[in-house]
């Protein structure tokens, strides 16, 4: 039976899993119920190997093809974690974990990969093996990094990796990707300023951290406007400034926080160097102490050009020629699948989910209509990457 027809049959089941996950969102590494459900399903489908507790709460399932001796191992990844956002969708299956919700559609990603797993375990029309990677903590910390550090690529012999992310605002079921750099590296900076507070009527007796914070926040913007080559991608955003408590008090301290997005490690190094110089220089000129704490986060997500071309071909088979944009261009969001793509070549694709609230919004809800498309993509990718030798499929049919 063609891949797409089988997934049309599985849609009700995939939707039920997705809504169950949506109702029970778990954040970061706390995906205990989710991981247990994934493990149970993978065993029920007849996966040849199911390993839990990788990357704390990550799960990997392995399915052997009908001819598993000659082929390689393809890794397919879904993220499982939710966000600390109170849900406002009003859905029947809305979160029953107060304060947390699946606002990024990772419930849908997990359900789609489970759907693909069920089909692949049933049919096994491929050579080699497929490793189904279910990871926690995509939204922060980087569950993917920890799973890579714990050696999943070597342990399961994975040679290439693929992942999907839903995309609100893009046509339902349309695939978008791009070869090469796709999503940015994300860093976080914290600047702690310590001056000398006092009465606001006598500023000459203080060393004002508020003015220093304003000066630093302004000067940081010149890293983008004055220090870097205009055609390189760079975002530096100051997102928080906290200080003070009253109109007549100059506070002791101020705090600045923000994010940096880059694609190039040279640009990233320049930002760190310039930010340090700005902080040190302003500390001297405003007569305060200032400390920069710069956290390097997820690296850029870089698609392998050949694997991306291949994945786009698979997407065309599943969705149709006109529903694949293979050169969509890059964006400044970030994704910890980048660690898997640093370890192995592969591709990351977006899957349009029609008009809906945006990702990380309290009204967001994954569109169940696109789940069969995503599950078909994963399944077809494995069959197309490692087709059974001619005749073998017939023999087994
Ligand atoms: Ni996400």
């Amino acid at each position: 039976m063609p891949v797409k027809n089988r997934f049309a049959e599985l849609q009700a089941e995939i939707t039920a899993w997705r809504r169950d996950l949506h109702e029970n969102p778990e954040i970061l590494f706390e995906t205990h119920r989710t991981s247990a459900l994934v493990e149970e399903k993978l065993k029920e489908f007849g996966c040849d190997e199911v390993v839990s507790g990788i990357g704390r709460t990550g799960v990997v399932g392995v399915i052997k093809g009908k001819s598993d001796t000659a082929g390689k191992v393809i890794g397919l990844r879904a993220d499982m974690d939710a966000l600390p956002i109170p849900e406002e969708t009003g859905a029947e299956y809305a979160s029953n974990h107060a304060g947390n919700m699946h606002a990024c559609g990772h419930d849908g990603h997990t359900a789609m990969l489970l759907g693909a797993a069920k089909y692949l375990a049933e049919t096994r029309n491929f050579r080699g093996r497929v490793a189904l990677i279910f990871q926690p903590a995509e939204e922060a910390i980087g569950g993917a990094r920890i799973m890579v550090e714990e050696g999943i690529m070597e342990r399961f012999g994975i040679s290439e990796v693929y992942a999907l992310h839903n995309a609100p605002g893009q046509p339902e079921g349309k695939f978008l990707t791009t070869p090469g750099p796709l999503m940015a590296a994300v860093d976080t900076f914290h600047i702690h300023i310590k001056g000398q507070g006092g009465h606001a009527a006598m500023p000459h007796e203080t060393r004002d951290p508020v003015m220093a914070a304003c000066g630093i926040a302004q000067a940081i913007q010149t890293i983008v406007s004055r220090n870097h080559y205009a055609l390189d991608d760079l975002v530096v955003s100051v997102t928080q400034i906290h200080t003070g408590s009253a109109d007549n008090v100059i506070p002791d301290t101020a705090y600045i926080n923000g994010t940096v997005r880059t694609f190039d490690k040279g640009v990233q190094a320049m930002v760190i160097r310039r930010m340090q110089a700005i902080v040190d220089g302003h500390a001297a000129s405003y007569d305060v102490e200032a400390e920069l704490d710069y956290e390097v986060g997820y690296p850029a997500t870089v698609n392998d050009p050949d694997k991306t071309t291949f994945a786009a071909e698979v997407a065309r088979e599943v969705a149709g020629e006109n529903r694949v944009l293979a050169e969509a261009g890059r964006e400044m969001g970030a994704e910890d699948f980048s660690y898997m793509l640093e370890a192995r070549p592969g591709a990351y694709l977006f899957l349009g989910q029609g008009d809906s609230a945006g990702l990380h919004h309290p009204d967001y809800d994954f569109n169940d209509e696109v789940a069969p498309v995503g599950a078909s993509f994963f399944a077809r990718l494995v069959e197309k990457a490692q087709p059974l030798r001619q005749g073998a499929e017939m023999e087994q049919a």
Side-chain angles (χ1 to χ4, degrees):
M1 174 181 292
V3 173
K4 282 165 79 174
N5 293 354
R6 180 65 183 121
F7 282 104
E9 284 179 13
L10 287 176
Q11 182 166 10
E13 200 173 358
I14 295 173
T15 299
W17 300 332
R18 205 285 292 181
R19 294 184 175 187
D20 177 72
L21 294 169
H22 191 90
E23 204 169 345
N24 296 282
E26 296 170 304
I27 65 168
L28 298 173
F29 289 101
E30 302 305 312
T31 59
H32 301 290
R33 181 186 183 278
T34 308
S35 302
L37 184 125
V38 165
E39 186 183 353
E40 179 196 313
K41 290 290 167 204
L42 293 177
K43 285 181 175 162
E44 184 186 308
F45 302 155
C47 284
D48 298 283
E49 192 179 356
V50 180
V51 184
S52 58
I54 306 181
R56 302 195 212 170
T57 40
V59 183
V60 177
V62 177
I63 302 169
K64 295 178 186 173
K66 278 178 190 164
S67 163
D68 82 316
T69 45
K72 51 196 175 183
V73 184
I74 293 180
L76 304 176
R77 171 274 207 170
D79 38 15
M80 302 187 286
D81 57 319
L83 281 157
I85 297 175
E87 180 160 356
E88 291 175 14
T89 62
E92 269 171 42
Y93 49 86
S95 165
N96 60 23
H97 293 202
N100 294 339
M101 73 172 287
H102 270 294
C104 201
H106 298 184
D107 49 347
H109 303 168
T110 299
M112 289 193 292
L113 192 55
L114 283 176
K118 178 162 184 170
Y119 168 89
L120 289 166
E122 258 172 31
T123 54
R124 299 179 188 252
N125 283 325
F126 55 95
R127 281 183 296 127
R129 300 173 185 208
V130 55
L132 309 141
I133 306 165
F134 294 87
Q135 74 150 88
E138 191 285 321
E139 297 290 359
I141 306 175
R145 174 177 56 83
I146 295 174
M147 291 183 86
V148 170
E149 284 172 0
E150 288 186 10
I152 55 163
M153 299 302 169
E154 298 77 15
R155 177 170 177 179
F156 298 101
I158 297 165
S159 60
E160 53 197 86
V161 288
Y162 300 87
L164 284 178
H165 202 294
N166 75 95
Q170 294 292 341
E172 197 174 291
K174 180 174 181 173
F175 288 88
L176 301 97
T177 189
T178 217
L182 178 71
M183 299 180 85
V186 54
D187 300 340
T188 306
F189 60 88
H190 309 267
I191 301 166
H192 300 277
I193 303 165
K194 180 153 181 13
Q196 170 71 58
H199 200 297
M202 280 156 271
H204 62 290
E205 290 179 359
T206 71
R207 291 183 291 118
D208 188 352
V210 179
M211 287 298 103
C214 293
I216 290 171
Q218 296 261 24
I220 279 174
Q221 296 307 310
T222 66
I223 297 173
V224 178
S225 65
R226 303 293 85 182
N227 297 142
H228 103 294
Y229 177 51
L231 295 184
D232 286 340
D233 305 274
L234 173 62
V235 171
V236 179
S237 291
V238 173
T239 54
Q240 302 192 70
I241 301 179
H242 293 290
T243 185
S245 57
D247 63 275
N248 56 358
V249 177
I250 290 172
D252 271 326
T253 61
Y255 166 72
I256 302 172
N257 172 227
T259 187
V260 175
R261 307 292 167 116
T262 57
F263 279 98
D264 182 279
K265 288 197 191 293
V267 173
Q268 182 185 46
M270 180 277 289
V271 172
I272 298 171
R273 192 172 66 245
R274 285 297 304 144
M275 197 175 288
Q276 188 67 61
I278 287 168
V279 169
D280 292 346
H282 280 67
S285 69
Y286 285 91
D287 193 21
V288 295
E289 288 145 45
E291 194 185 314
L292 170 65
D293 172 13
Y294 191 100
E295 288 172 13
V296 173
Y298 299 171
T301 304
V302 182
N303 276 344
D304 177 86
D306 292 342
K307 304 299 180 206
T308 309
T309 302
F310 169 70
E313 279 170 27
V314 174
R316 283 188 199 98
E317 282 186 21
V318 170
E321 191 70 33
N322 299 330
R323 299 185 79 74
V324 179
L325 188 55
E327 302 265 357
R330 54 187 183 263
E331 58 151 280
M332 302 311 280
E335 162 63 65
D336 80 345
F337 186 61
S338 54
Y339 291 103
M340 294 194 184
L341 285 173
E342 280 191 338
R344 293 293 183 269
Y348 183 86
L349 296 88
F350 293 101
L351 176 58
Q353 76 140 28
D355 283 331
S356 76
L359 300 174
H360 296 206
H361 189 280
D363 273 331
Y364 170 86
D365 190 16
F366 180 83
N367 179 355
D368 289 307
E369 294 302 313
V370 308
V373 183
S376 300
F377 167 79
F378 280 135
R380 185 66 198 130
L381 186 145
V382 174
E383 291 179 350
K384 190 175 170 75
Q386 311 216 80
L388 288 172
R389 271 179 298 278
Q390 243 180 353
E393 203 160 350
M394 301 289 292
E395 243 169 64
Q396 306 275 351

